[in-house]
Amino acid sequence: MSDLVVRDTFGSHELIAPAADRQWAMYRPTGSLAGSAMLAVPSVTIAPLAGEVVEEVRFLRDEMANFVWGIEQIVTDADGNRRNLADEYVRAVLPAAPTEGRGDVAYRLMTDVPEYWVPFIPVHLPGGSRKVGLIEAVLPRPHSLGELEISLPRSSVLQELRGLVIPEEEIPTAGVVVRRRWFLARSGDGGRHAWAARSVSAGRGEGASGLRLDVAEPVKE
């Protein structure tokens, strides 16, 4: 492109002359002459097609448990099936069985938390006593036989965060929602291009997992 017309907010048009200066250049194509007045403008897509959300992870603060939780709301499995883990948990949950025992109270190490809730615990960062980061942790949960097992995250977001320290200020009080979806667009030569991208938005505030440790519950007959 050898010239450029700019339309301002008042509707006026102005012709921008080329800055053919040998001592200064910007966006110069590789191999062009030093005094060339050409400006390379790549072909871009105006409106790509956006697919449905294939992954959604919500980060929220739980002040009662002193955790930040990464809640895997929507994931895509290895077969490409889109799964809503929150809906699956609600459909599969069973009424709590009465606590059996001869005493008046029963001791529990911790209360149940859905497996799609992944904890992030605070850690001190070097360089100062007040610098705090967040690191992904594991929370053992009892399976059908009563033994503890560790479930790994299923979303690509939490898998990529394993072992990394997140600055505490990255998760504000309102929380953060990370969504992933596929996009499709056509280039200037008619070719099709597909890619996956993530978007980040603000959450809806703090939450509560109901996690409690060292609990004494009344025995129900």
Side-chain angles (χ1 to χ4, degrees), residues 48-51 180-185 193-198:
L49 298 177
R180 180 172 177 263
R181 51 166 49 94
W182 283 93
F183 293 87
L184 176 66
H193 302 272
W195 70 95
R198 295 184 180 127

Side-chain angles (χ1 to χ4, degrees), residues 41 44 100 150 210:
V41 179
V44 297
E100 298 180 357
I150 297 175

Side-chain angles (χ1 to χ4, degrees), residues 126-139:
S129 59
R130 296 187 178 182
K131 291 185 177 181
V132 178
L134 301 169
I135 189 168
E136 186 177 326
V138 293
L139 184 64

Side-chain angles (χ1 to χ4, degrees), residues 29-63:
T30 302
S32 61
L33 299 177
S36 174
M38 302 296 291
L39 176 65
V41 179
S43 177
V44 297
T45 300
I46 298 177
L49 298 177
E52 64 178 356
V53 176
V54 296
E55 190 172 279
E56 179 176 314
V57 178
R58 299 176 178 268
F59 295 87
L60 60 81
R61 289 187 172 273
D62 183 355
E63 297 298 338

Side-chain angles (χ1 to χ4, degrees):
M1 185 174 67
S2 58
D3 53 14
L4 178 66
V5 176
V6 175
R7 179 182 178 182
D8 57 26
T9 56
F10 299 100
S12 302
H13 294 77
E14 183 176 356
L15 176 63
I16 306 299
D21 191 339
R22 293 181 178 273
Q23 298 181 353
W24 184 89
M26 189 173 183
Y27 308 121
R28 178 187 297 167
T30 302
S32 61
L33 299 177
S36 174
M38 302 296 291
L39 176 65
V41 179
S43 177
V44 297
T45 300
I46 298 177
L49 298 177
E52 64 178 356
V53 176
V54 296
E55 190 172 279
E56 179 176 314
V57 178
R58 299 176 178 268
F59 295 87
L60 60 81
R61 289 187 172 273
D62 183 355
E63 297 298 338
M64 294 299 296
N66 196 26
F67 281 161
V68 167
W69 296 95
I71 304 175
E72 298 179 303
Q73 183 83 17
I74 298 174
V75 299
T76 300
D77 59 22
D79 296 329
N81 299 316
R82 181 177 179 273
R83 299 174 57 188
N84 190 316
L85 299 183
D87 288 347
E88 292 180 7
Y89 177 81
V90 172
R91 291 195 299 267
V93 68
L94 298 176
T99 305
E100 298 180 357
R102 297 181 180 179
D104 295 330
V105 295
Y107 171 77
R108 296 186 63 184
L109 179 62
M110 64 181 181
T111 56
D112 296 332
V113 177
E115 64 176 8
Y116 64 92
W117 286 54
V118 179
F120 284 76
I121 59 177
V123 294
H124 288 287
L125 300 179
S129 59
R130 296 187 178 182
K131 291 185 177 181
V132 178
L134 301 169
I135 189 168
E136 186 177 326
V138 293
L139 184 64
R141 296 173 171 88
H143 58 46
S144 58
L145 298 179
E147 299 179 357
L148 295 179
E149 63 179 2
I150 297 175
S151 58
L152 299 177
R154 284 170 279 191
S155 63
S156 63
V157 175
L158 297 189
Q159 290 175 3
E160 294 174 10
L161 290 177
R162 294 297 299 272
L164 301 179
V165 179
I166 305 174
E168 187 184 28
E169 60 271 15
E170 293 294 331
I171 310 297
T173 303
V176 174
V177 181
V178 180
R179 295 182 177 92
R180 180 172 177 263
R181 51 166 49 94
W182 283 93
F183 293 87
L184 176 66
R186 285 191 177 275
S187 57
D189 58 0
R192 291 187 298 178
H193 302 272
W195 70 95
R198 295 184 180 127
S199 61
V200 179
S201 59
R204 300 180 180 178
E206 298 181 359
S209 61
L211 176 64
R212 294 181 297 159
L213 304 176
D214 297 328
V215 180
E217 296 180 336
V219 174
K220 299 179 180 179
E221 299 180 355

